Amino acid sequence: MTVELTVKSLIKGMRVHARREATLTAAILIVMLAVSHVTFAADSEFGGTRILKHRVTVLSLSELSADKEKAAIFLKKTDLLVYLPKDGVVMEEGDLASVVDLTKGELSRSDYVRVMEVPRTLSKKEVTPESSDRPELVVLVSYGITGKGNKVFVRLLEVSSGQTVFSTQAEGHDLGTAVRQSLSGVEDWLLTQAWRCRVIGVRGGAVVINRGRLDGLREGAKLVGYGMRGVPKGDKESDEATLLKYGNRVGTFIVTEVRNNFAKARADGGKMTLREGDILELPEVRIPDRDVRTRDNRLWDKIYK
């Protein structure tokens, strides 16, 4: 009797163990399949590259509304009432300034961005692609107070095009909570985006680039180099459009020397050369959109509504 129970218990334990093994194997397969759908725009060798920081500046809607010249540089337009007609509730000036500083403080602790301060006086020369202190993105923030709490509206504006590339909003019992929640969405979006820098000179077979240690670069980082030939003088298109129209992939470059704001890179195993004005890029991470809506989807929705 005891032996029979022992055998039955052993068999039952083996079955449970087998089910657990099968469940574990299935889970691993699911994870592997999920990971296999995350691809890189270039070779898989860039998958191990550390996170690099995007340069951003933080501005409030009120600040841009009061400075038309600054608005024209960053937004490529000055009519903010048309651009953002529904945003915000009037707040006291001191409160608004405090929340802008709060946003900067939260972003300064991020692994994905480097906060740049905008000079008091701006000129178009100061926001050229080659500028060492040029922000890539503007975090445009506006705030509202509702009956349920505090709302924060965040838009990421691309400096090179003046277009909104990402927007989000969050609500919290205090503005600090709302800011942190909204910036979490910004970080998630930035994690998948391409990171770019410019060649500002060539010295001793190495290219000098306008990004450095404070932007997350370290020795050994790999970047894809693009020669930019035939770009018209005074070209005002976005970096993305310019790269697609005129960029010619030259090869991979390895960062060999890093300073705070600048770095040097050499061609990886070849005589590939870049010139001043060319672009180096850490490719974007492409995640397939599984919820793509089609015309057929919408048609069937209308039929069965």
Side-chain angles (χ1 to χ4, degrees):
M1 180 73 173
T2 305
V3 173
E4 183 180 352
L5 286 173
T6 303
V7 171
K8 285 183 178 178
S9 300
L10 181 61
I11 293 173
K12 183 179 179 182
M14 291 173 65
R15 286 174 179 169
V16 170
H17 179 72
R19 282 198 298 270
R20 286 176 179 170
E21 288 290 332
T23 303
L24 179 60
T25 303
I28 292 172
L29 285 173
I30 290 170
V31 171
M32 289 175 66
L33 285 171
V35 171
S36 70
H37 285 290
V38 180
T39 58
F40 291 85
D43 302 326
S44 59
E45 61 181 307
F46 297 100
T49 303
R50 61 177 285 117
I51 295 170
L52 301 180
K53 296 185 177 184
H54 295 265
R55 291 186 175 187
V56 306
T57 189
V58 181
L59 298 174
S60 69
L61 184 61
S62 300
E63 186 178 355
L64 284 186
S65 299
D67 191 334
K68 300 299 182 186
E69 183 180 355
K70 187 182 293 186
I73 290 173
F74 288 125
L75 303 181
K76 314 300 180 187
K77 60 185 77 177
T78 57
D79 193 347
L80 288 177
L81 294 178
V82 173
Y83 183 72
L84 298 171
K86 298 179 181 179
D87 270 1
V89 173
V90 176
M91 297 180 66
E92 294 294 331
E93 187 176 349
D95 292 340
L96 183 59
S98 298
V99 180
V100 170
D101 287 338
L102 174 63
T103 303
K104 291 179 181 179
E106 289 296 331
L107 282 173
S108 67
R109 289 190 285 273
S110 171
D111 292 327
Y112 307 94
V113 300
R114 177 184 174 187
V115 178
M116 310 292 293
E117 293 295 340
V118 178
R120 287 184 177 274
T121 57
L122 279 177
S123 68
K124 291 184 179 179
K125 183 180 179 183
E126 290 174 314
V127 292
T128 57
E130 292 78 12
S131 173
S132 61
D133 58 355
R134 170 195 186 247
E136 305 160 44
L137 300 161
V138 173
V139 177
L140 183 63
V141 287
S142 54
Y143 309 92
I145 301 176
T146 67
K148 296 181 180 179
N150 301 276
K151 270 194 174 180
V152 175
F153 306 88
V154 175
R155 285 171 177 78
L156 278 185
L157 308 176
E158 186 180 51
V159 172
S160 62
S161 67
Q163 300 298 313
T164 300
V165 291
F166 179 79
S167 62
T168 186
Q169 67 181 51
E171 187 172 329
H173 65 279
D174 58 60
L175 283 170
T177 301
V179 166
R180 282 188 289 274
Q181 289 180 358
S182 62
L183 294 184
S184 176
V186 170
E187 287 188 330
D188 290 344
W189 185 83
L190 284 175
L191 183 61
T192 65
Q193 301 307 297
W195 182 94
R196 300 186 183 103
C197 60
R198 294 267 181 165
V199 175
I200 59 172
V202 180
R203 183 178 178 85
V207 294
V208 180
I209 55 181
N210 62 347
R211 294 292 186 270
R213 181 173 297 278
L214 297 179
D215 302 289
L217 272 181
R218 297 293 184 271
E219 292 182 4
K222 290 185 178 181
L223 302 170
V224 180
Y226 290 89
M228 307 299 292
R229 306 294 179 262
V231 182
K233 265 193 172 183
D235 177 59
K236 295 182 180 180
E237 293 185 286
S238 69
D239 292 344
E240 185 179 40
T242 303
L243 187 59
L244 287 172
K245 288 176 67 173
Y246 306 104
N248 179 40
R249 177 168 172 159
V250 176
T252 305
F253 286 74
I254 299 178
V255 175
T256 57
E257 182 180 344
V258 184
R259 304 293 177 90
N260 279 343
N261 293 296
F262 304 94
K264 285 183 178 180
R266 292 181 181 274
D268 183 13
K271 295 182 179 180
M272 301 169 288
T273 57
L274 293 176
R275 301 187 305 191
E276 187 173 340
D278 289 341
I279 290 177
L280 289 166
E281 176 186 75
L282 179 66
E284 68 186 65
V285 178
R286 295 176 183 165
I287 302 177
D289 188 349
R290 300 181 184 277
D291 299 316
V292 176
R293 300 290 291 167
T294 66
R295 189 170 56 178
D296 292 343
N297 292 144
R298 299 195 65 180
L299 180 61
W300 284 109
D301 287 346
K302 286 182 178 295
I303 292 172
Y304 288 102
K305 188 174 284 186

